[in-house]
């Protein structure tokens, strides 16, 4: 738990190296359980969510070694019984272990993931897909108990294209007898990454990236070596930072092909953006820019994870912006902290109204979720004077040394131990 101290008003110049995608690495690490053998995973981000999922895998008996951004997992000795409540509750992605465990173990239990500040985050669709594949699922207040005597292929139509439930469905269906078709599947690039990983172990998954995914049974998986895709949310975050602060930065390895709806927010504004084979370049002269209306949604729409950061940018636009969050029901809590810096924001349920202001001023604020924290940092970077931003641990869950990367671009930000 630490505090960021930011002296606002510095322009950003230079290159930032975008790291591996958190949201792709976490399900891939869970999926290593599918093979009772060795997986070598490259380009893993150095963030606390990755450490936590590795600890859960270690608790289960997997051998986990880390060398820089490479993680080597040997899951041949994995047992289901040792997943600790405290760890599984800490990170939401522990629920994504269910699909791999359903294939690996005939009977298992998993602590329930907790709710979180951005919304209730139920798991009914995760349970529905396992039941459609023939598993018996029982729940009590703390645990999910699953029996998977004989998984069989099925046609599964998701009521909502849930990313996590699609991932669990793909993993469990890989062990089910016959063919499975997932309709209304999530189309996010992280699903394509999971498909590629499972196929690299010898799996039979096709269609990821579209709404229909087909999985054929695979009896045995093999050892693999695999590279995680780059993080479109980290890239989008730094893009917004440069747009807000002014300056000129190159986002090396930014997967701009997966960021089209985010990039559209930067059309016809005082920003110049160029793409190249190995990244994205933005030049920002910090002139006034117009308000705009934003709707977050499932891929390829603007990611819900970008919503807080784009909203923070729009607090300095000319005019009134309306932001509609369609994925999570409680994702504007960070806005109260932006108001402490002088932003003019009101929100109710899924809708947020932002009246642009000319200047923000440094203030003391408290992060309450990962992406909201990245939004608060944006405001502090542009504000006049000093900001103190508490609860860095939320940001450390998903951004690799954000303060170090920002400092290398010329920002004045440091992370202290202060609570
Ligand atoms: C979400 C994001 C994903 C991002 C991830 C990590 C979307 C659609 N998903 O995935 O891009 O990588 O966070 O930040 O943007 N829901 C249910 N029942 C369920 C599962 C989900 O009602 O069993 C609802 C959720 O409450 C939420 C919506 O479906 O309103 C989206 O959830 P889902 O895609 O499952 O979330 P994540 O997998 O966490």
């Amino acid at each position: 738990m630490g505090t960021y101290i930011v002296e606002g008003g510095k322009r950003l110049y230079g290159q930032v190296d975008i790291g591996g995608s958190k949201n792709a690495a976490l399900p891939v690490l869970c999926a290593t359980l599918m093979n009772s053998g060795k997986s070598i995973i490259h380009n893993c981000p150095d963030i606390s969510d990755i450490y936590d999922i590795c600890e859960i895998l270690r608790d289960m008996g997997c051998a986990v070694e880390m060398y820089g951004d490479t993680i080597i997992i040997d899951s041949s000795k994995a047992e289901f019984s040792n997943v600790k409540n405290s760890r599984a509750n800490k990170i939401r992605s522990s629920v994504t272990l269910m699909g791999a465990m359903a294939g690996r173990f005939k009977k298992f239990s998993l602590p329930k993931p907790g709710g979180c500040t951005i919304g209730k985050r139920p798991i009914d669709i995760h349970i529905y897909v396992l039941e459609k594949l023939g598993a018996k699922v029982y729940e009590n207040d703390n645990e999910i108990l699953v029996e998977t005597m004989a998984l069989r292929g099925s046609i599964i139509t998701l009521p909502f294209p849930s990313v996590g439930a699609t991932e669990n469905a793909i993993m469990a269906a890989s062990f089910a007898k016959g063919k499975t078709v997932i309709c209304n599947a999530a189309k996010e690039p992280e699903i394509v990454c999971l498909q590629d990983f499972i196929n690299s172990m010898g799996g039979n998954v096709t269609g990821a990236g579209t709404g229909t995914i087909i999985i054929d049974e695979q009896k045995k998986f093999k050892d693999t070596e695999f590279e995680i895709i780059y993080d479109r949310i980290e890239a989008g975050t730094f893009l917004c930072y440069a747009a807000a602060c002014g300056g000129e930065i190159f986002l090396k390895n930014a997967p701009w092909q997966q960021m089209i709806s985010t990039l559209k927010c930067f059309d016809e504004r005082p920003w110049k953006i160029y793409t190249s084979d190995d990244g994205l370049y933005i030049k920002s002269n910090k002139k006034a820019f117009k308000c705009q209306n934003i709707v977050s949604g499932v891929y390829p729409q603007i990611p819900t994870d970008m919503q807080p950061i784009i909203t923070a940018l729009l607090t300095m636009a000319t005019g009134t912006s309306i932001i509609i969050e369609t994925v999570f029901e409680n994702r504007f809590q960070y806005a109260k902290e932006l108001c402490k810096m002088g932003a003019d924001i009101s929100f109710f349920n899924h809708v947020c109204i932002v009246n642009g202001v000319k200047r923000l001023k440094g203030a003391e604020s408290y992060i309450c979720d990962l992406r909201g924290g990245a939004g608060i940092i944006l405001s502090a970077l542009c504000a006049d004077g000093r900001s103190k931003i508490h609860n860095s641990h939320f940001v450390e869950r998903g951004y690799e040394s954000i303060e170090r990367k920002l400092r290398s671009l010329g920002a004045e930000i440091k992370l202290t131990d202060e609570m």
Side-chain angles (χ1 to χ4, degrees):
M1 281 220 191
T3 297
Y4 296 107
I5 312 279
V6 184
E7 298 288 344
K10 302 282 181 295
R11 289 183 178 239
L12 305 181
Y13 292 95
Q15 174 176 307
V16 61
D17 291 351
I18 300 304
S21 159
K22 158 188 170 289
N23 294 337
L26 290 169
V28 163
L29 291 172
C30 293
T32 60
L33 268 184
M34 292 169 69
N35 173 30
S36 317
K38 205 182 228 184
S39 304
I40 303 175
I41 317 291
H42 301 292
N43 205 29
C44 295
D46 185 6
I47 53 176
S48 68
D49 266 16
I50 294 288
Y51 290 117
D52 286 335
I53 204 81
C54 286
E55 280 309 306
I56 293 176
L57 290 169
R58 281 195 182 109
D59 288 345
M60 293 174 77
C62 299
V64 182
E65 293 165 51
M66 293 180 176
Y67 303 97
D69 69 4
T70 297
I71 301 181
I72 303 174
I73 299 181
D74 185 340
S75 70
S76 45
K77 296 203 173 79
E79 301 269 350
F80 73 86
S81 49
N82 291 323
V83 182
K84 292 194 177 62
N85 275 3
S86 52
R87 283 208 231 284
N89 282 336
K90 204 167 147 199
I91 56 167
R92 168 80 196 171
S93 54
S94 61
V95 76
T96 318
L97 287 163
M98 265 206 306
M101 289 173 88
R104 190 78 192 269
F105 311 118
K106 294 276 170 268
K107 201 172 175 184
F108 67 91
S109 61
L110 195 66
K112 273 192 170 165
C116 77
T117 48
I118 64 172
K120 290 194 285 293
R121 306 189 86 170
I123 56 167
D124 53 314
I125 309 176
H126 298 253
I127 292 174
Y128 168 75
V129 301
L130 289 182
E131 287 178 338
K132 284 292 282 180
L133 293 167
K136 293 208 162 33
V137 185
Y138 310 92
E139 284 182 88
N140 60 33
D141 287 348
N142 306 316
E143 277 182 324
I144 311 152
L145 308 156
V146 185
E147 283 177 22
T148 58
M149 288 325 198
L151 294 180
R152 52 178 193 281
S154 177
I155 297 176
I156 306 173
T157 302
L158 302 185
F160 175 87
S162 155
V163 173
T166 301
E167 289 162 347
N168 270 328
I170 295 173
M171 288 188 248
S174 294
F175 293 92
K177 198 169 170 43
K179 193 185 278 298
T180 297
V181 181
I182 308 171
C183 306
N184 198 28
K187 299 175 188 161
E188 272 70 0
E190 294 75 24
I191 303 283
V192 179
C193 185
L194 180 65
Q195 165 180 283
D196 292 346
F197 174 67
I198 294 174
N199 289 345
S200 79
M201 290 194 293
N204 285 309
V205 186
T206 53
T210 75
T212 307
I213 299 177
I214 299 167
I215 303 112
D216 280 303
E217 167 186 11
Q218 180 62 25
K219 292 209 167 63
K220 198 158 165 35
F221 294 93
K222 60 176 191 216
D223 293 355
T224 185
E225 186 162 358
F226 185 77
E227 179 136 354
I228 298 294
I229 56 173
Y230 288 98
D231 197 318
R232 62 194 171 107
I233 307 298
E234 187 192 22
T237 301
F238 276 92
L239 188 71
C240 291
Y241 288 174
C245 294
E248 223 174 315
I249 71 170
F250 181 62
L251 300 148
K252 183 150 192 290
N253 298 323
W256 55 266
Q257 299 89 338
Q258 301 165 8
M259 296 167 61
I260 300 303
S261 53
T262 298
L263 292 177
K264 279 219 174 84
C265 302
F266 295 87
D267 277 355
E268 297 168 40
R269 271 148 224 283
W271 302 303
K272 286 199 169 59
I273 291 182
Y274 304 102
T275 57
S276 71
D277 286 349
D278 60 347
L280 191 61
Y281 164 90
I282 174 168
K283 185 171 181 183
S284 163
N285 58 16
K286 220 185 166 201
K287 281 211 180 116
F289 57 94
K290 274 194 287 180
C291 57
Q292 57 183 310
N293 299 332
I294 297 287
V295 182
S296 71
V298 299
Y299 192 80
Q301 298 173 64
I302 293 174
T304 173
D305 281 355
M306 281 305 302
Q307 176 268 106
I309 305 138
I310 296 174
T311 302
L313 174 67
L314 291 173
T315 61
M316 285 167 297
T318 312
T320 299
S321 303
I322 297 173
I323 294 99
I324 300 178
E325 164 65 48
T326 70
V327 181
F328 291 109
E329 67 273 18
N330 191 27
R331 211 168 186 175
F332 289 120
Q333 292 308 313
Y334 67 89
K336 294 178 194 153
E337 305 300 308
L338 303 190
C339 291
K340 291 181 186 168
M341 299 190 205
D344 179 353
I345 309 179
S346 49
F347 62 91
F348 184 69
N349 290 339
H350 291 271
V351 181
C352 176
I353 297 171
V354 179
N355 294 311
V357 294
K358 284 214 168 71
R359 302 193 85 85
L360 297 173
K361 57 181 188 312
E364 182 158 13
S365 55
Y366 293 83
I367 299 171
C368 59
D369 72 278
L370 164 61
R371 306 299 174 185
I376 295 170
I377 290 176
L378 181 145
S379 297
L381 289 170
C382 315
D384 298 331
R386 171 178 287 214
S387 295
K388 258 188 173 185
I389 310 170
H390 301 282
N391 296 340
S392 66
H393 60 283
F394 285 111
V395 170
E396 289 160 24
R397 279 190 44 216
Y399 290 94
E400 187 174 307
S401 311
I402 199 166
E403 72 289 351
R404 183 180 51 74
K405 289 189 178 185
L406 279 167
R407 261 200 315 273
S408 77
L409 296 172
E412 219 177 307
I413 176 171
K414 63 181 179 195
L415 178 57
T416 68
D417 291 339
E418 194 182 323
M419 304 269 276

